[in-house]
Amino acid sequence: MWFDIVITNGFVVDGTGNPWFKADIGIKDGKITDIGDLKSAKAYRSIDAKGLFVSPGFIDTHTHSDTTLLLANRCESHIMQGVTTECVGNCGSSPYPITEKNKETICKRMSRIAGGPEIDIDWSTLDGYIRRVEKKGISINVAALVGHGTVRAAVIGMENRAPTPEELEEMKSLVDGAMQDGAFGLSSGLDYMPGCYAETGEVIEVMKVASKYGGIYASDVREQILNSFIKAVEQCIEIGEKSGARVVHTSHAKPVFPRWGDEIECMRLWEEARERGVDATADIIFPVMCKKLSSIIPPWWRKEGSEELINKLKDPDTRKKIKHDTLTADWHARGRETGERPNFNNFVKAGRWGDIQLCSIYRQKMLKNEKFVGKSLAEIAELRGVDPFDAACDLIIEENDKVSGLAPGSQVSAGKILIKHPVVMAASDSSCKAATSPWTDQWAQPLRDYGTYAYLLGTWVREEHVLSLEEMIRKCTSLPARTLGLRDRGLIAEGMYADFVVFNMDTMEDKSTHEDPHQYPEGVEYVIVNGQIVVEKGEHTGKLPGKFLRYSPH
Ligand SMILES: [Zn+2]
């Protein structure tokens, strides 16, 4: 028998968490057909992986590529990291199902993410969306969740009220349709509009339909409105447990500063749930926070736009009032009105001006303050001889409100603790794009968009020994596969799909920076999707072997 591809001489990390072993791998018709000594086997293509590691392709539990898949269908930013499968439709938001009630909102959101070009929406169901994606082809495998927020908006628009019994039935039937089309479960985003208007019972009722099909419940939890990460995780588990979800998954577990210590408490909640027989899991992301500097100021002072805000900041009496609100006001109580999270403001209220750096948004030079880029607000205040709040206000005025802040270390330490827990896995929370035009004209999230997996392996495994390589690979492969319900991916074993990443642990490195985030990582040599080579010696081959996966309980 001739193999299509044989990968020889590699250190095989099979995704189970077991120590690496030396073996050759034979691939035929898109599947793994042999593991052992295959040096004398006949093969059309052979890849010498001497000195390299061979693992299952990475499975990104949480992405927002719904829009960008249609444009950057080679999925460069993800596949160049070794990701071979990603899960879209997260945080309660999916571009399906579509009705007249939510079409405009979805159109607007999609063109915003796409950076301008209007996307003609010619689908209404998940099935229609899948067909649209398949028409163009993709380099990566995709699994999809259906968003509770989208379903709600499809029936009652953006109204702040409970659905009537008839409307609730309509929502349930839309979820039923998506599950029949192959969704892997339901996602929710309970701090965002319109998910923020939903009571717990509504989400349970809607989720029951997804549970009937074996779907998972994945939630961006209601931390801001409840003003407690712990209460939010409790609510998430309650919804999953009462609806009978196969898995209840806390998406990007990220206790918002300054409530350090919540990460320990939420691990206890997941463990208690598991003791009751509830399959509780979670993922972490790199929350490198980068926002307009003016977002430190409460939204009610900003709602008339930049020009008005600048005028107010120029007036000493008004500035005094704004300062008072910025340093004392609680936004969470108003979360449902504003739909905005006070993450950045939490740093300011805690006096952590040293944790916010000035940054220039990609390729947008500052008018007067370029010299301060990279310095913290505390440092800038000292250099200018003013109070940090006044330094921030002056920067906003001088730069016409086109100035950003960056909290580089935010929550990384909580992530390091959480990733060690057996049920916690990796995710990027990014959307696929490419280091070419038109993407390079837009801002991208450094680390998250292009470097999540290279950072996990290069920095957390090789440099900082946060976890062993084998355990980290498990969290990037078989654990997400098992959680989503992908039974034939995420492991190197005979009969599994041939999704691989072949990488060099000596050179693995995230290369993206705040100045130039559109950089592919180093160290990923080969990526194979469904038995076809998509990345070869670090270059994209242009192949589109990805499949849109549909969940089936059997
Ligand atoms: Zn998300």
Side-chain angles (χ1 to χ4, degrees):
M1 184 185 83
W2 283 70
F3 290 106
D4 294 331
I5 304 174
V6 169
I7 307 171
T8 57
N9 300 312
F11 299 110
V12 177
V13 182
D14 68 4
T16 60
N18 286 335
W20 61 259
F21 55 92
K22 285 186 185 171
D24 309 322
I25 296 161
I27 299 165
K28 174 110 185 118
D29 297 331
K31 297 244 178 137
I32 302 170
T33 51
D34 213 337
I35 300 166
D37 183 354
L38 302 174
K39 292 200 185 35
S40 53
K42 294 195 267 298
Y44 295 107
R45 203 39 236 278
S46 141
I47 293 172
D48 185 4
K50 194 161 192 288
L52 304 174
F53 287 90
V54 182
S55 85
F58 304 143
I59 297 173
D60 192 337
T61 328
H62 187 113
T63 80
H64 291 280
S65 298
D66 325 78
T67 300
T68 54
L69 269 180
L70 296 167
L71 305 161
N73 62 323
R74 289 180 172 193
C75 319
E76 284 95 334
S77 62
H78 287 172
I79 201 141
M80 298 296 269
Q81 301 182 51
V83 175
T84 55
T85 302
E86 59 177 290
C87 181
V88 302
N90 276 290
C91 294
S93 177
S94 57
Y96 47 82
I98 295 178
T99 65
E100 284 312 312
K101 290 241 165 74
N102 66 354
K103 188 166 185 175
E104 207 189 308
T105 319
I106 290 177
C107 271
K108 268 195 202 145
R109 179 177 162 267
M110 289 187 90
S111 24
R112 181 172 48 81
I113 295 171
E118 190 97 341
I119 290 180
D120 68 299
I121 294 182
D122 59 357
W123 67 87
S124 59
T125 61
L126 171 57
D127 182 65
Y129 173 74
I130 292 176
R131 285 167 198 273
R132 170 71 179 267
V133 172
E134 283 175 340
K135 220 196 289 176
K136 208 167 169 193
I138 32 173
S139 288
I140 220 167
N141 300 313
V142 181
L145 302 173
V146 57
H148 159 265
T150 302
V151 168
R152 192 179 214 276
V155 177
I156 55 176
M158 300 303 262
E159 288 178 45
N160 179 3
R161 63 170 175 88
T164 64
E166 295 75 38
E167 286 168 338
L168 188 61
E169 283 313 308
E170 223 177 301
M171 286 169 68
K172 287 162 76 170
S173 96
L174 288 174
V175 171
D176 195 278
M179 292 307 294
Q180 287 196 32
D181 287 349
F184 283 71
L186 182 85
S187 77
S188 70
L190 300 183
D191 270 334
Y192 303 114
M193 279 187 263
C196 60
Y197 305 136
E199 297 301 334
T200 310
E202 171 193 319
V203 190
I204 293 172
E205 281 310 303
V206 173
M207 182 58 212
K208 275 182 186 165
V209 180
S211 298
K212 201 175 72 190
Y213 290 88
I216 72 165
Y217 176 64
S219 182
D220 183 335
V221 299
R222 183 172 281 170
E223 177 178 13
Q224 300 294 330
I225 293 171
L226 296 171
N227 196 26
S228 159
F229 187 61
I230 299 309
K231 280 191 199 146
V233 173
E234 276 171 351
Q235 183 196 39
C236 172
I237 293 172
E238 183 192 348
I239 293 167
E241 192 165 7
K242 289 193 174 155
S243 64
R246 181 170 58 78
V247 173
V248 44
H249 186 81
T250 308
S251 295
H252 38 57
K254 46 171 176 33
V256 169
F257 183 83
R259 287 183 282 275
W260 303 120
D262 277 4
E263 65 273 17
I264 309 288
E265 186 72 4
C266 72
M267 289 192 280
R268 189 181 59 75
L269 291 176
W270 297 327
E271 283 162 20
E272 283 175 2
R274 297 188 76 82
E275 277 165 27
R276 297 193 301 274
V278 177
D279 187 350
T281 57
D283 64 64
I284 60 146
I285 53 162
F286 292 111
V288 183
M289 218 190 280
C290 183
K291 293 177 165 197
K292 271 178 102 167
L293 193 55
S294 54
S295 72
I296 63 169
I297 294 167
W300 50 92
W301 286 110
R302 287 184 269 128
K303 60 176 190 267
E304 282 125 1
S306 296
E307 218 182 289
E308 262 311 293
L309 173 68
I310 288 168
N311 286 337
K312 285 175 189 154
L313 291 176
K314 281 181 178 164
D315 174 60
D317 288 336
T318 319
R319 189 191 278 210
K320 223 179 262 172
K321 285 182 199 149
I322 296 175
K323 182 175 185 177
H324 176 265
D325 280 6
T326 300
L327 299 180
T328 58
D330 269 334
W331 298 9
H332 59 89
R334 305 196 190 201
R336 286 188 180 200
E337 288 163 42
T338 62
E340 193 175 350
R341 302 172 160 221
N343 296 357
F344 233 27
N345 177 260
N346 284 341
F347 283 80
V348 168
K349 275 203 300 210
R352 305 268 298 236
W353 296 96
D355 285 341
I356 304 175
Q357 284 176 7
L358 195 70
C359 78
S360 61
I361 287 292
Y362 182 60
R363 284 179 194 172
Q364 192 177 33
K365 280 241 180 291
M366 273 192 232
L367 299 172
K368 295 183 180 160
N369 296 287
E370 199 66 28
K371 58 183 178 295
F372 292 129
V373 168
K375 289 203 170 17
S376 75
L377 286 174
E379 289 171 310
I380 298 168
E382 211 180 302
L383 288 166
R384 289 181 154 214
V386 293
D387 165 74
F389 176 80
D390 286 317
C393 294
D394 294 342
L395 288 166
I396 293 165
I397 295 170
E398 289 160 21
E399 301 296 332
N400 281 333
D401 196 23
K402 289 199 178 87
V403 58
S404 294
L406 166 78
S410 56
Q411 304 139 4
V412 169
S413 56
K416 258 188 220 178
I417 294 168
L418 289 169
I419 195 72
K420 291 182 182 170
H421 195 281
V423 304
V424 178
M425 63 202 77
S428 74
D429 198 17
S430 65
S431 50
C432 67
K433 44 183 69 78
T436 48
S437 182
W439 305 101
T440 41
D441 303 329
Q442 298 174 26
W443 190 71
Q445 304 174 97
L447 179 57
R448 246 198 228 182
D449 281 357
Y450 285 85
T452 293
Y453 291 86
Y455 190 85
L456 288 169
L457 296 176
T459 305
W460 276 14
V461 171
R462 186 189 61 227
E463 306 291 333
E464 299 181 8
H465 308 286
V466 176
L467 284 177
S468 71
L469 174 62
E470 290 83 352
E471 181 62 0
M472 188 62 90
I473 293 292
R474 183 180 75 81
K475 288 167 180 291
C476 301
T477 58
S478 71
L479 180 57
R482 208 265 310 134
T483 302
L484 290 168
L486 299 163
R487 283 179 302 279
D488 41 18
R489 297 180 195 270
L491 283 173
I492 296 181
E494 282 169 34
M496 302 294 273
Y497 277 99
D499 294 341
F500 290 100
V501 51
V502 180
F503 57 95
N504 185 336
M505 268 309 272
D506 296 333
T507 58
M508 185 61 90
E509 198 185 345
D510 160 39
K511 303 296 276 183
S512 64
T513 61
H514 287 282
E515 291 66 41
D516 198 354
H518 298 276
Q519 307 265 2
Y520 300 125
E522 223 166 86
V524 175
E525 302 280 328
Y526 292 87
V527 183
I528 296 174
V529 177
N530 297 317
Q532 294 196 44
I533 301 172
V534 180
V535 176
E536 180 161 14
K537 299 207 168 109
E539 299 286 332
H540 201 294
T541 61
K543 289 217 164 80
L544 304 169
K547 290 180 188 168
F548 212 117
L549 310 172
R550 297 187 194 234
Y551 180 70
S552 110
H554 314 292

